Amino acid sequence: MKLKRALAVFVVLGLAVLILGGCGKNEQPAADSAVTPVVVATAEKGRLTRGDVLTGKVAAKLDISLVPKVPGKIAEVLVDVGDRVKAGQVILRLDAPEAAAAVTLAESGLRTAEINYASAKVNYERGKLLLQQEAISQAEFENMYEKPYELAKEAYERTAPAQLAQARANYENTILTAPAAGVVTARTVDPGEMAMTGVPVVTIVDLDSVYVECGASEKQINRFKIGQEVMVKIAAVSAEPLRGKITHLSPVADPRTKAYNLKIELKNEKQLIKPGMFAEVDLGAEADEKVLVPRDAVLSREGKTIVFVVENGKAMMREVRTGASDGRRIAVESGLNPGDRVIVTGQDILVDGAPVTIAESDNAPGGDNK
């Protein structure tokens, strides 16, 4: 009986040792010999958003459709689509020989009026002398000298210049000029065709600066002011947000959309931004770029804030100092560099230096896009 009891105690103690030994192993992080599959994301420089994102579309700062002031046959079109034009540059001429002839005739009339006025003035001075010498009567002076002088003066100073100005205006109406500098984006006529008033023939757009037009809600509008800088994301142009400035802010809501319209001006020297492009206006973005990683990459161990970085097939623990977060990404103030591959899945069971294999890369914003 004593032998049986001793064997039973021995068996129980042995099982206890095995059970305790097994539990101890399960509580430890992955051993160095075990290769842990992980998901990584690349630390990238960027700006955090606080959620105030408005959507809008790009519009040209200047978009002018030119129409002739008078109808007529087109003599020449001096620009084509894609041409850059200066303010005052001639765009189109109508075939207008009558208008040109009227200018020539009016110029001749002004010269004639000048000659007549000079002659009438000489006669007027002679008449005043004769009147003083009582060689003529007052009535003769008025009829023969004074009235012809006044009529000649009126013709030279008023009538002839007005006729010339009218003739020149009529002629200038047959010439279409650019009211401002820009790029020709449309041309709808050719020489020989008829131009009609009210029908656009050429469109000029200024793309050196563009607007992003969007609408803000009644809860948002009072947070903004003219001159405020905001960040604008145009995916078709750049992965990086562009810096813009609010230049227009409607004091009343649009009766149709119930939104308050605002315009944000962007510089566009390279003219990569085109009217009609979709834009996201991040009105709450941080002004300065930070090193950003997914929020899940950051752990807390023994009072330290850490992340795991994959280096040469191993998970290397890094202590970091974190900053603001938008709930999805977190700014890392120190301890990481752009391009570091941080582990975002599988890091909970890792120890410093543990071997890992990359199962996949997170392609979400702030993730590894390689």
Side-chain angles (χ1 to χ4, degrees):
M1 290 296 292
K2 290 182 179 180
L3 179 60
K4 290 183 179 179
R5 287 179 181 177
L7 288 173
V9 171
F10 180 79
V11 171
V12 170
L13 290 174
L15 289 174
V17 170
L18 290 174
I19 292 171
L20 291 174
C23 292
K25 290 180 180 179
N26 289 336
E27 289 177 353
Q28 295 296 323
D32 289 346
S33 60
V35 179
T36 305
V38 295
V39 176
V40 300
T42 301
E44 297 177 342
K45 293 204 73 174
R47 296 177 177 86
L48 287 174
T49 176
R50 293 193 292 271
D52 292 324
V53 177
L54 305 179
T55 59
K57 283 192 175 182
V58 176
K61 185 176 180 180
L62 176 72
D63 190 339
I64 303 175
S65 294
L66 304 183
V67 297
K69 293 183 179 180
V70 295
K73 184 179 179 180
I74 297 173
E76 57 181 345
V77 183
L78 301 175
V79 298
D80 208 342
V81 174
D83 290 348
R84 293 190 64 87
V85 298
K86 299 178 181 180
Q89 181 176 333
V90 176
I91 302 297
L92 175 149
R93 297 180 188 272
L94 298 180
D95 187 11
E98 297 87 354
V103 172
T104 302
L105 184 61
E107 290 173 342
S108 177
L110 179 59
R111 289 193 294 270
T112 300
E114 183 181 11
I115 294 171
N116 291 340
Y117 171 63
S119 177
K121 187 175 183 180
V122 171
N123 288 336
Y124 175 69
E125 295 298 332
R126 184 183 299 113
K128 287 198 297 183
L129 182 61
L130 292 174
L131 181 62
Q132 290 174 359
Q133 297 173 350
E134 298 183 353
I136 58 174
S137 65
Q138 181 67 34
E140 289 174 325
F141 169 73
E142 292 176 357
N143 292 329
M144 296 176 60
Y145 299 98
E146 189 175 47
K147 287 183 179 180
Y149 167 72
E150 291 178 349
L151 290 174
K153 183 179 180 181
E154 177 72 16
Y156 173 63
E157 293 183 349
R158 295 178 180 273
T159 306
Q163 291 173 343
L164 178 58
Q166 183 63 54
R168 284 175 174 170
N170 291 339
Y171 178 70
E172 289 171 0
N173 285 341
T174 68
I175 302 173
L176 205 58
T177 59
V183 177
V184 177
T185 59
R187 167 184 158 177
T188 61
V189 293
D190 290 308
E193 297 180 350
M194 290 297 295
M196 304 300 295
T197 57
V199 179
V201 292
V202 171
T203 300
I204 296 176
V205 174
D206 179 9
L207 295 178
D208 290 337
S209 293
V210 294
Y211 283 128
V212 173
E213 299 177 336
C214 53
S217 70
E218 60 183 18
K219 294 181 179 180
Q220 297 170 321
I221 190 63
N222 288 330
R223 295 174 50 192
F224 313 131
K225 60 183 180 180
I226 300 295
Q228 179 179 343
E229 287 192 346
V230 294
M231 305 309 299
V232 180
K233 180 71 174 294
I234 304 177
V237 175
S238 172
E240 293 296 319
L242 308 173
R243 193 180 297 272
K245 183 180 292 185
I246 297 176
T247 57
H248 294 74
L249 199 59
S250 175
V252 296
D254 186 303
R256 295 175 294 107
T257 64
K258 308 303 181 184
Y260 293 83
N261 296 324
L262 61 141
K263 290 184 179 181
I264 300 159
E265 184 176 358
L266 297 173
K267 298 301 181 182
N268 189 31
E269 290 86 354
K270 296 182 179 180
Q271 300 193 356
L272 299 177
I273 308 173
K274 311 296 184 185
M277 285 183 172
F278 179 78
E280 291 183 334
V281 182
D282 193 343
L283 298 170
E286 298 287 347
D288 299 326
E289 288 190 336
K290 308 285 187 180
V291 177
L292 304 178
V293 297
R295 183 66 184 82
D296 293 341
V298 180
L299 302 174
S300 179
R301 284 191 184 175
E302 299 179 355
K304 297 180 179 180
T305 302
I306 66 164
V307 297
F308 281 97
V309 178
V310 176
E311 294 180 357
N312 300 320
K314 294 184 178 181
M316 307 305 295
M317 186 172 66
R318 296 249 193 109
E319 185 175 356
V320 296
R321 181 166 59 88
T322 58
S325 173
D326 60 8
R328 191 168 54 94
R329 297 180 298 175
I330 189 168
V332 178
E333 305 289 348
S334 65
L336 277 182
N337 297 311
D340 286 342
R341 294 187 298 171
V342 298
I343 299 175
V344 296
T345 300
Q347 73 274 32
D348 293 332
I349 62 173
L350 294 176
V351 295
D352 190 24
V356 293
T357 179
I358 298 176
E360 62 177 299
S361 295
D362 185 1
N363 292 323
D368 190 353
N369 294 322
K370 298 178 182 179

